[in-house]
């Protein structure tokens, strides 16, 4: 029976003893409960259950088996918790069971899933809108070809870490899924600017483009995204080392609705990129630029003046910024909640004072990361006492921070989490032993 194929998804997870007891109860009172609760109501109840609960209900009685495995209850499925058990046959049985009802499916981490299973799914589940294949390392361009042929309503697709996917996938998706709004091709290292160009031309409704670690994406790809996808709101180019200022500037000019931008690891970028974002993207709320070592106070000053909705900023290893950046952020970004300044070695207590004593920090700041900021002292912690919503502070390798300073901060903010590291005290030299530590030559030198 197909029931056993579906319930194999949760093999080893069901509590067999409880299932047996529950089965006895409902077997004895099956007629009564079916009279009391119409099938439509039971179906409605089952629609709120997860995969495990549905499979357990399917084992209670014949009536519940039919109701629990009704396709209408399988519109949104997440098999991530069962990735070690999910085989291709399970996906195929689920596809036949769900059919046109399936709208959202997550197979994240299901490494045994292959193109043949996905071909079956695409053929049966033509109304799927949201598909997560992140980490399904065995799928290839054939899967995207099947999706493009059958799943015209597909709007969200996650292909992260699908290393066998190439430009051909993006070209077929561009031809077959014009309603695509969100795509993730992170770590698809075979994808180049040609694939991105085809995708941009065929999917003008794109709102989210994530391509972390795609080393072959260049400014040409970014130009095409900017030109053909003006609705973009989320762009993640983490580690796209070939991207330069001209690409980011074009993106900012053509996509003013950008609110979440990650440029971390784009080492060629300069302040020109920040200035362009400041001039055109006033809705910016999240900016990640870790490792962009050429950014200076000038770029962040421009952002602070124009992007007052900024809430999250990752400035780790922006090694040229000084206290001036914090002064401008404190004055210009009243909604700032999370800020990372790790490895920004020019930041001092004065900068933290400007940030910590600003009205915005007192109301909104929840996370502050200061790892490897060697000039930070306990005085900085005193400036953070008025940040009543502060939940976490990172202080690894801040050599001038002491345990006493952390205790004083916790006295004022008892619920705060402080992550710090203190090197163990160097043991004193052994003076009692008779064995000489150095030879005569070393002692002389």
């Amino acid at each position: 029976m197909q029931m056993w194929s579906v319930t194999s998804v949760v093999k080893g997870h069901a509590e067999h003893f409880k299932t047996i007891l529950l089965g006895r109860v409902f077997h004895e009172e099956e007629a009564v409960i079916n009279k009391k609760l119409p099938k439509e109501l039971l179906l409605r109840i089952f629609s709120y259950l997860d995969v495990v609960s549905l499979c357990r209900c399917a084992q209670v009685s014949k009536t519940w088996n039919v109701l629990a495995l009704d396709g209408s209850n399988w519109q949104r499925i997440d098999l991530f918790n069962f990735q070690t058990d999910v085989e291709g046959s399970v996906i195929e049985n689920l596809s036949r069971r769900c059919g046109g009802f399936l709208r959202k499916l997550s197979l994240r981490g299901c490494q045994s899933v292959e193109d043949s299973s996905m071909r079956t799914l695409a053929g049966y589940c033509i109304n799927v809108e949201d598909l997560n294949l992140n980490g399904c390392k065995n799928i290839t361009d054939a899967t995207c070809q099947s999706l493009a042929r059958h799943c015209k309503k597909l709007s969200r697709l996650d292909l992260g870490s699908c290393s066998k996917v190439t430009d051909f996938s993006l070209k077929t998706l561009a031809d077959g899924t014009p309603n695509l709004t969100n795509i993730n091709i992170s770590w698809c290292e075979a994808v180049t600017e040609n694939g991105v160009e085809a995708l941009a031309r065929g999917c003008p409704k794109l709102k989210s483009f994530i391509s972390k670690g795609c080393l072959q994406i260049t400014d040409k790809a970014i130009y095409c995204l900017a030109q053909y996808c003006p609705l973009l709101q989320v762009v993640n180019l983490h580690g796209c080392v070939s991207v330069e200022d001209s690409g980011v500037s074009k993106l900012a000019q053509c996509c003013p609705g950008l609110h979440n931008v990650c440029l971390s690891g784009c080492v060629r970028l300069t302040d020109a990129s920040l200035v362009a974002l400041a001039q055109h993207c006033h809705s910016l709320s999240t900016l990640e630029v870790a490792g962009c070592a050429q950014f200076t106070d000038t770029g962040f000053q421009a952002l602070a003046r124009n992007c007052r909705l900024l809430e999250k900023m990752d400035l780790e290893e922006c090694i040229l910024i000084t206290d001036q950046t914090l002064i401008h952020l404190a004055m210009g970004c009243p909604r700032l909640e999370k800020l990372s300044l790790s490895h920004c070695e020019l930041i001092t207590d004065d900068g933290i004072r400007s940030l910590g004593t600003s009205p915005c920090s007192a109301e909104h700041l929840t996370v502050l990361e200061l790892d490897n900021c060697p000039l930070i002292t306990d005085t900085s912690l005193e400036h953070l006492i008025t940040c009543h919503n502060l939940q976490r502070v990172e202080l690894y390798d801040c050599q001038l921070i002491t345990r006493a300073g952390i205790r004083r901060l916790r006295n004022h903010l008892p619920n705060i989490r402080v992550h710090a590291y203190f090197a163990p005290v160097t043991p004193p030299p052994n003076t009692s032993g008779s064995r000489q530590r150095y030879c005569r030559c070393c002692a002389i030198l």
Side-chain angles (χ1 to χ4, degrees):
M1 293 178 62
Q2 289 185 349
M3 179 189 73
W4 300 115
S5 299
V6 176
T7 55
S8 64
V9 173
V10 293
K11 184 184 299 181
H13 295 272
E15 301 176 14
H16 299 294
F17 182 69
K18 290 183 180 179
T19 301
I20 293 172
L21 290 179
L22 192 63
R24 288 176 180 173
V25 172
F26 283 100
H27 180 73
E28 293 171 357
E29 302 182 3
E30 187 176 51
V32 177
I33 195 171
N34 286 337
K35 290 180 180 179
K36 296 292 184 181
L37 295 179
K39 292 182 179 179
E40 292 78 11
L41 180 56
L42 280 172
L43 278 174
R44 180 69 173 174
I45 295 172
F46 288 169
S47 68
Y48 292 98
L49 301 180
D50 57 19
V51 174
V52 176
S53 300
L54 282 171
C55 290
R56 287 175 177 170
C57 289
Q59 299 178 69
V60 170
S61 68
K62 292 181 179 179
T63 302
W64 277 34
N65 173 262
V66 173
L67 295 175
L69 299 183
D70 187 274
S72 62
N73 294 320
W74 298 74
Q75 298 183 40
R76 295 171 177 80
I77 304 173
D78 188 344
L79 299 182
F80 176 69
N81 293 330
F82 318 107
Q83 57 179 332
T84 56
D85 296 332
V86 175
E87 301 292 338
S89 58
V90 174
I91 303 303
E92 294 172 11
N93 288 330
L94 278 174
S95 302
R96 297 185 181 96
R97 171 66 62 184
C98 301
F101 288 106
L102 186 66
R103 295 293 187 274
K104 181 178 180 179
L105 175 64
S106 176
L107 300 176
R108 181 164 59 109
C110 297
Q111 299 189 32
S112 60
V113 174
E114 298 181 347
D115 292 328
S116 57
S117 302
M118 294 308 301
R119 182 168 56 248
T120 301
L121 184 139
Y124 280 95
C125 305
I126 61 174
N127 292 319
V128 66
E129 300 171 0
D130 187 335
L131 184 58
N132 189 339
L133 301 175
N134 196 300
C136 297
K137 298 181 181 298
N138 286 325
I139 68 169
T140 70
D141 292 332
T143 288
C144 291
Q145 193 172 17
S146 299
L147 293 173
R149 182 180 297 122
H150 300 288
C151 304
K152 304 300 181 181
K153 296 183 180 180
L154 190 65
S155 61
R156 305 172 69 95
L157 179 61
D158 191 337
L159 297 170
S161 299
C162 296
S163 54
K164 297 180 181 179
V165 166
T166 72
D167 287 341
F168 182 76
S169 286
L170 301 191
K171 292 176 181 178
T172 56
L173 291 170
D175 294 334
T177 58
N179 294 314
L180 204 62
T181 60
N182 297 57
I183 189 165
N184 180 4
I185 55 171
S186 298
W187 315 113
C188 296
E189 298 176 356
V191 170
T192 72
E193 59 187 21
N194 296 326
V196 176
E197 179 179 359
L199 182 74
R201 290 177 180 271
C203 301
K205 298 180 182 179
L206 269 185
K207 294 182 180 180
S208 175
F209 178 80
I210 302 176
S211 60
K212 294 184 289 186
C214 293
L215 303 181
Q216 299 190 66
I217 289 183
T218 65
D219 274 356
K220 180 182 177 182
I222 307 305
Y223 285 147
C224 292
L225 284 171
Q227 181 177 357
Y228 299 107
C229 304
L231 302 179
L232 277 171
Q233 299 176 3
V234 178
V235 172
N236 191 322
L237 303 174
H238 185 120
C240 297
V241 294
S242 298
V243 173
E244 300 184 2
D245 289 328
S246 57
V248 176
S249 298
K250 182 70 173 178
L251 192 66
Q253 293 171 18
C254 298
C255 305
L258 283 172
H259 63 76
N260 187 325
V261 175
C262 177
L263 302 172
S264 296
C266 298
V267 294
R268 299 186 183 185
L269 300 183
T270 70
D271 284 338
S273 291
L274 297 183
V275 171
L277 290 170
Q279 290 175 344
H280 302 286
C281 303
H282 298 162
S283 298
L284 201 62
S285 62
T286 298
L287 179 66
E288 300 176 26
V289 291
C292 295
Q294 298 188 66
F295 289 167
T296 72
D297 296 330
T298 302
F300 291 110
Q301 180 180 358
L303 279 173
R305 285 177 176 173
N306 296 281
C307 301
R308 297 183 59 82
L309 300 181
L310 276 167
E311 297 178 355
K312 302 175 183 178
M313 297 184 72
D314 184 354
L315 313 187
E316 182 175 350
E317 293 185 343
C318 292
I319 57 177
L320 297 181
I321 65 173
T322 70
D323 293 337
Q324 287 299 310
T325 288
L326 298 190
I327 293 173
H328 293 302
L329 291 179
M331 293 188 299
C333 301
R335 297 189 180 186
L336 199 59
E337 297 178 5
K338 297 181 180 180
L339 177 63
S340 176
L341 299 168
S342 297
H343 295 274
C344 297
E345 298 185 358
L346 301 180
I347 299 297
T348 73
D349 293 335
D350 289 336
I352 302 302
R353 175 172 55 83
S354 300
L355 182 69
T357 57
S358 65
C360 64
S361 296
E363 295 181 10
H364 298 288
L365 191 65
T366 59
V367 176
L368 182 61
E369 298 179 358
L370 298 170
D371 297 336
N372 291 95
C373 291
L375 303 181
I376 297 298
T377 72
D378 287 348
T379 302
S380 287
L381 302 187
E382 295 177 5
H383 296 320
L384 297 176
I385 288 174
T386 56
C387 300
H388 304 296
N389 289 315
L390 198 58
Q391 299 174 6
R392 177 166 60 87
V393 175
E394 302 285 340
L395 297 169
Y396 288 108
D397 292 320
C398 293
Q399 301 296 329
L400 301 181
I401 295 291
T402 68
R403 289 184 172 86
I406 293 176
R407 280 196 296 270
R408 286 194 293 270
L409 178 64
R410 282 178 170 158
N411 287 337
H412 292 273
L413 303 174
N415 296 322
I416 194 172
R417 289 177 293 158
V418 180
H419 298 161
Y421 172 76
F422 295 93
V425 178
T426 304
N430 184 8
T431 57
S432 60
S434 59
R435 186 175 179 179
Q436 192 172 2
R437 293 186 63 193
Y438 307 103
C439 68
R440 289 185 177 181
C441 295
C442 294
I444 294 173
L445 292 174

